[in-house]
């Protein structure tokens, strides 16, 4: 049994026209961009799609998923997949020189790693500020430790700098054409001449060995203990927030006398993720937009749209209870597509290879949509029409509407669910602090922070709305957010407790509509599980193994009680709603089938009593 949930440190927005002022106590707020996907990036979602936003100044990363991007079939769980990223690179905005050392590279543990996809599109920056007490001797050596897998991700070219003020940098060392490390989790040291003890050090990793991702496990500078340094201080004037009351992510900062603002939301009605970049000075936005893909899709740009189109054929889950051998594939393979449309006010936008560049733009708006050819219908082989037509139509419709119109529609839809529940647990003395500081304070002092507890409760409701909407698929282990193709525990529907846990609070939190994907998924896989149960046990009804996939394929061990446990949620939902149509068409047929298995499994005792078996 695994319990896994998406818990970045906690998660934000902006108001429209006559709307009441936002509740500051329902915002996740940070004073610096995110470096770590799990702890710091902030999630938005519309049920069908989810995205993690990092809030970088010079480069914004939008890592996105689509709920049906699965590998597997009716026999094998497979795994939920990562879709790709949208990168927005600004050539006229400078990344502040503050400590930006990737935490996984300074934790003293070679089992963790810094892994980032950039496909060689831009240098990856690693930067550390050194404590005053540790600056006494010049550094003349650094050590790089390779990660645990994929040798082609090792760095092959980089530059290493030192600085006293993090503004003016001195090149200390440069390497080119460095060979792949001799082994995984192995350390190599590089020496250079240097007579100055600097306060700041920086790597610019320029290339690796051709893989779409770059990664390192550890970085060491001389004998310094970097793990003890403060490597991620706040950026002056920077604010990143997720407004739970509005489901809008906002970044604001000032640079060179220009005030920049960025807003993003995931619209359930429009089925798009929308991101707008603005500034209070005309023509202040110049840079490029690129789209990446995690499955070797063909990426092309035309007019104002970048498209990635590909297939999941040949991809298999490499780990767990059913790791495929070379050459083995699944009986099903979905095709998929993502599109990002670039809209501008002022300035110019043009195609540059598979990117779109923008120059001296006043407002830049991105509309992102993605999908597969999956349909939730076994009788049709789980596959329907190619996703291109629907995605193109969706973006065409959204691009004809104003930002204010899309936002207002999103707010009406989202707040119709979210604003049904308010919770007041009292006032916190530290309510004005950024979320990460409040969490650190709570951990250190153990003093109650009732408004943080309220924020956590409402954050759970926010994530439910963001990951489970009518007409879609249920929330999996990480909801709808996943950055790996071989994710922990497949990022699947773990039936030994996890999917049940996802939906325990749904009705109690007054989000009954969000339960529908759970019921529809169970309905869609009943026949698959009935056949598998009959084959394995020669009994009526159906059972689940401990993990399950999109198509009903189920690997790992049989856990006989899980199917009944799944349907306890279904019955509880009926008790909350009193919806007899739901009971008649979804809950009761499934409960009757599962009861048939247990009736066939009853064991007669000497006195004639019938009891359920302890095991299978």
């Amino acid at each position: 049994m695994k319990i896994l949930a998406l818990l970045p440190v906690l998660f934000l927005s902006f108001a429209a026209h006559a709307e009441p002022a936002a509740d500051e106590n329902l915002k996740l707020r940070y004073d610096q961009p995110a470096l770590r996907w799990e702890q710091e990036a902030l999630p938005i979602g519309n049920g069908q799609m989810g995205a993690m936003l990092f809030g970088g100044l010079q480069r914004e990363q939008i890592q996105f998923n689509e709920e049906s991007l699965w590998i597997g079939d009716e026999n094998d769980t497979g795994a939920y997949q990562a879709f790709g990223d949208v990168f927005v690179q600004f050539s006229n905005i400078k990344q502040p020189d503050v400590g930006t050392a990737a935490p996984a590279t300074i934790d003293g543990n070679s089992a963790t790693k810094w892994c980032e996809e950039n496909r060689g599109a831009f240098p990856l920056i690693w930067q550390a500020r050194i404590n005053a007490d540790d600056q006494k001797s010049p550094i003349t050596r650094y050590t790089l430790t390779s990660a645990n897998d994929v040798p082609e991700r090792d760095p092959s070219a980089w530059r290493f700098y030192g600085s006293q003020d993090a503004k003016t940098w001195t090149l200390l060392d440069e390497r080119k054409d460095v060979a792949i490390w001799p082994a995984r989790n192995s350390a190599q040291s590089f020496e250079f001449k240097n007579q100055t003890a600097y306060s700041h050090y920086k790597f610019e990793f320029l290339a690796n060995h051709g893989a779409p991702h770059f990664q390192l496990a550890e970085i060491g500078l001389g004998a310094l203990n970097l793990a003890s340094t403060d490597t991620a201080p706040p950026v002056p004037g920077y604010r990143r927030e997720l407004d739970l009351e509005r489901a809008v992510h906002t970044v604001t900062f000032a640079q060179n006398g220009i005030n920049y603002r960025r807003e993003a939301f995931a619209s359930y009605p429009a089925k798009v993720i929308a991101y707008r970049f603005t500034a209070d000075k005309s023509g202040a936005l110049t840079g490029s937009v690129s789209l990446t893909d995690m499955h070797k899709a063909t990426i092309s740009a035309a007019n104002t749209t970048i498209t990635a189109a590909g297939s999941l054929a040949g991809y298999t889950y490499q780990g767990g209870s059913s790791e495929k051998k070379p050459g083995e594939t699944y009986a099903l393979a979905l095709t998929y597509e993502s599109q990002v449309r670039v809209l501008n006010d002022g300035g110019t936008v043009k195609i540059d290879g598979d990117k779109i560049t923008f120059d001296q733009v006043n407002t830049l708006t991105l509309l992102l949509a993605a999908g597969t050819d999956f349909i939730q219908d076994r009788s049709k082989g789980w596959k329907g029409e190619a996703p291109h037509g629907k995605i193109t139509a969706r973006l065409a419709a959204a691009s004809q509407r104003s930002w204010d119109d899309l936002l207002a529609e999103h707010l009406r839809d989202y707040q119709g669910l979210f604003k049904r529940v308010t919770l007041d647990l009292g006032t916190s003395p530290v309510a004005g602090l950024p979320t990460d500081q409040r969490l650190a304070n709570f951990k250190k002092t153990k003093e109650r922070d009732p408004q943080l507890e309220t924020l956590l409760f409402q954050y759970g409701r926010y994530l439910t709305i963001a990951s489970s909407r009518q007409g879609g698929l249920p929330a999996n282990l990480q909801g709808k957010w996943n950055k790996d193709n071989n994710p922990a525990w497949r990022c699947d529907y773990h039936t030994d407790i996890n999917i049940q846990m996802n939906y325990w609070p749904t009705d109690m939190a007054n989000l009954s509509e969000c339960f529908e994907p759970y019921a529809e998924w169970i309905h869609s896989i009943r026949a698959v599980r009935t056949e598998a149960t009959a084959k394995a046990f020669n009994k009526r009804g159906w059972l689940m193994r401990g993990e399950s996939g999109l198509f009903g394929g189920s690997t790992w061990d049989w856990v006989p009680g899980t199917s009944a446990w799944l349907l306890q949620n279904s019955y509880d939902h009926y008790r909350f709603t009193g919806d007899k149509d739901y009971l008649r068409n979804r809950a009761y047929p499934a409960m009757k089938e599962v009861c048939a298995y247990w009736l066939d499994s009853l064991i007669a005792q000497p006195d004639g009593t019938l009891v359920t078996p302890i095991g299978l």
Side-chain angles (χ1 to χ4, degrees):
M1 176 175 68
K2 304 295 183 185
I3 299 176
L4 185 62
L6 181 75
L7 285 177
V9 180
L10 283 175
F11 301 77
L12 8 165
S13 186
F14 173 51
H17 303 304
E19 186 184 349
D23 185 348
E24 294 297 317
N25 295 313
L26 290 178
K27 292 182 178 182
L28 301 162
R29 179 169 69 84
Y30 301 87
D31 289 343
Q32 64 279 325
L35 297 176
R36 296 175 291 181
W37 187 92
E38 290 89 347
Q39 292 95 337
E40 296 167 344
L42 298 175
I44 60 174
N46 62 8
Q48 186 233 352
M49 292 183 67
M52 298 291 282
L53 308 180
F54 288 73
L57 281 73
Q58 190 175 56
R59 177 178 67 107
E60 175 59 293
Q61 178 181 0
I62 307 167
Q63 185 272 318
F64 66 94
N65 295 93
E66 198 277 340
E67 64 181 358
S68 64
L69 196 75
W70 278 77
I71 54 175
D73 54 31
E74 292 186 355
N75 296 309
D76 195 301
T77 300
Y80 185 49
Q81 299 290 281
F83 216 117
D85 297 82
V86 176
F87 291 104
V88 186
Q89 187 82 16
F90 293 91
S91 59
N92 61 332
I93 297 177
K94 188 175 184 292
Q95 182 71 28
D97 288 321
V98 297
T100 55
T105 62
I106 56 173
D107 61 4
N109 180 7
S110 63
T112 61
K113 61 188 176 185
W114 174 31
C115 180
E116 182 147 2
E117 181 180 21
N118 76 332
R119 296 184 179 271
F122 44 81
L124 289 170
I125 307 300
W126 183 101
Q127 187 172 316
R129 185 178 65 202
I130 307 305
N131 286 336
D133 293 340
D134 295 327
Q135 298 179 44
K136 298 175 183 178
S137 300
I139 290 175
T140 58
R141 172 178 54 87
Y142 56 84
T143 302
L144 305 180
T145 302
S146 62
N148 64 324
D149 61 358
V150 193
E152 290 76 17
R153 295 177 178 176
D154 291 351
S156 64
W158 63 84
R159 300 188 185 102
F160 180 61
Y161 300 86
S163 175
Q164 300 295 11
D165 58 4
K167 296 180 180 179
T168 301
W169 293 92
T170 300
L171 180 64
L172 301 177
D173 190 39
E174 183 173 8
R175 305 282 169 156
K176 298 179 181 179
D177 301 321
V178 178
I180 290 174
W181 265 237
R184 299 300 85 208
N185 290 137
S186 64
Q188 291 195 82
S189 293
F190 302 85
E191 296 186 354
F192 55 94
K193 294 181 180 180
N194 175 35
Q195 298 179 345
T196 304
Y198 289 101
S199 302
H200 303 261
Y201 292 94
K202 177 173 71 172
F203 281 99
E204 289 181 352
F205 291 103
L206 307 173
N208 59 4
H209 291 273
H213 286 73
F214 165 94
Q215 63 185 26
L216 275 174
E218 286 288 307
I219 295 178
L221 304 183
L224 293 177
N225 179 15
L226 294 178
S228 66
T229 65
D230 176 12
T231 58
V235 177
Y238 176 95
R239 181 181 175 107
R240 176 170 62 98
E241 65 181 30
L242 181 66
D243 186 345
L244 302 185
E245 193 173 33
R246 304 175 68 247
V248 181
H249 177 277
T250 305
V251 173
T252 56
F253 63 95
Q255 195 170 105
N256 297 326
I258 302 173
N259 294 306
Y260 295 92
R261 184 178 185 87
R262 302 171 182 175
E263 300 170 280
F265 60 89
S267 169
Y268 173 70
K271 297 294 187 290
V272 299
I273 290 175
Y275 205 134
R276 182 175 69 166
F277 302 79
T278 61
D280 65 358
K281 179 182 178 181
S282 299
L285 304 175
T286 296
S288 64
V289 179
S290 59
L291 175 65
T292 69
D293 175 78
M294 293 289 283
H295 298 89
K296 299 180 182 179
T298 299
I299 299 177
S300 60
N303 298 322
T304 59
T305 303
I306 309 174
T307 300
S311 169
L312 296 178
Y315 286 93
T316 58
Y317 180 68
Q318 297 302 302
S321 57
S322 62
E323 182 174 330
K324 292 290 186 182
K325 296 177 182 178
E328 292 183 331
T329 60
Y330 300 119
L332 285 166
L334 300 174
T335 60
Y336 67 88
E337 183 168 315
S338 62
Q339 294 184 28
V340 59
R341 183 160 297 188
V342 181
L343 306 174
N344 65 298
D345 170 49
T348 58
V349 169
K350 63 181 181 179
I351 302 297
D352 181 10
D354 59 3
K355 299 180 181 179
I356 292 179
T357 62
F358 53 94
D359 185 55
Q360 297 184 6
V361 166
N362 303 328
T363 300
L364 182 76
T365 302
L366 306 183
L367 299 175
L368 173 66
T372 74
D373 59 353
F374 170 79
I375 55 173
Q376 200 170 19
D377 188 338
R378 190 196 188 204
S379 68
K380 297 180 180 178
W382 303 106
K383 296 182 67 173
E385 63 185 42
H388 176 77
K390 289 183 179 180
I391 294 171
T392 301
R394 196 176 298 158
L395 288 180
S399 65
Q400 296 300 312
R401 301 170 61 187
S402 69
W403 176 269
D404 287 344
D405 186 30
L406 284 171
L407 177 59
E409 179 187 55
H410 158 71
L411 292 175
R412 286 192 300 271
D413 168 72
Y414 172 77
Q415 291 184 339
L417 294 169
F418 184 81
K419 285 196 169 184
R420 293 173 179 175
V421 173
T422 60
L423 179 65
D424 185 351
L425 299 177
T427 303
S428 301
V430 293
L433 292 176
T435 305
D436 52 348
Q437 295 180 31
R438 291 176 71 178
L439 287 168
N441 181 73
F442 185 82
K443 181 178 180 180
K444 180 179 179 180
T445 66
K446 302 296 190 295
E447 294 178 356
R448 280 204 63 210
D449 186 346
Q451 285 176 300
L452 184 64
E453 296 166 12
T454 299
L455 185 68
L456 179 62
F457 168 75
Q458 293 288 25
Y459 181 49
R461 296 182 70 245
Y462 166 85
L463 289 175
T464 297
I465 299 170
S467 63
S468 187
R469 296 300 301 268
Q470 290 173 292
L473 297 168
N476 53 41
L477 276 176
Q478 282 99 277
K480 292 288 164 68
W481 301 275
N482 168 42
K483 64 180 178 64
D484 300 311
N485 287 336
N486 288 297
W489 302 294
R490 303 171 184 264
C491 195
D492 64 13
Y493 301 124
H494 249 54
T495 56
D496 56 4
I497 187 171
N498 303 89
I499 191 170
Q500 293 93 333
M501 290 175 67
N502 283 347
Y503 287 91
W504 284 344
T506 304
D507 290 296
M508 289 181 284
N510 207 355
L511 296 174
S512 292
E513 294 91 335
C514 295
F515 188 86
E516 182 187 284
Y518 177 91
E520 292 302 313
W521 175 71
I522 292 174
H523 176 70
S524 71
I525 66 168
R526 284 164 46 200
V528 178
R529 302 312 311 149
T530 298
E531 291 176 11
T533 302
K535 181 179 179 180
F537 305 108
N538 193 30
K539 293 179 180 178
R540 297 177 298 158
W542 51 272
L543 294 182
M544 304 292 290
R545 294 177 182 264
E547 56 188 26
S548 189
L550 181 61
F551 312 102
S554 189
T555 49
W556 198 46
D557 294 336
W558 289 93
V559 186
T562 58
S563 55
W565 201 358
L566 282 171
L567 297 173
Q568 180 64 56
N569 281 36
S570 297
Y571 182 60
D572 289 343
H573 178 65
Y574 166 69
R575 294 176 64 201
F576 267 96
T577 63
D579 185 344
K580 291 187 178 180
D581 287 336
Y582 158 78
L583 179 65
R584 180 181 302 107
N585 298 316
R586 293 294 182 263
Y588 181 75
M591 290 189 290
K592 183 178 180 180
E593 290 168 352
V594 169
C595 286
Y597 170 84
W598 291 104
L599 288 170
D600 289 355
S601 302
L602 292 173
I603 298 172
Q605 298 298 293
D607 64 356
T609 302
L610 296 175
V611 297
T612 57
I614 295 176
L616 290 174

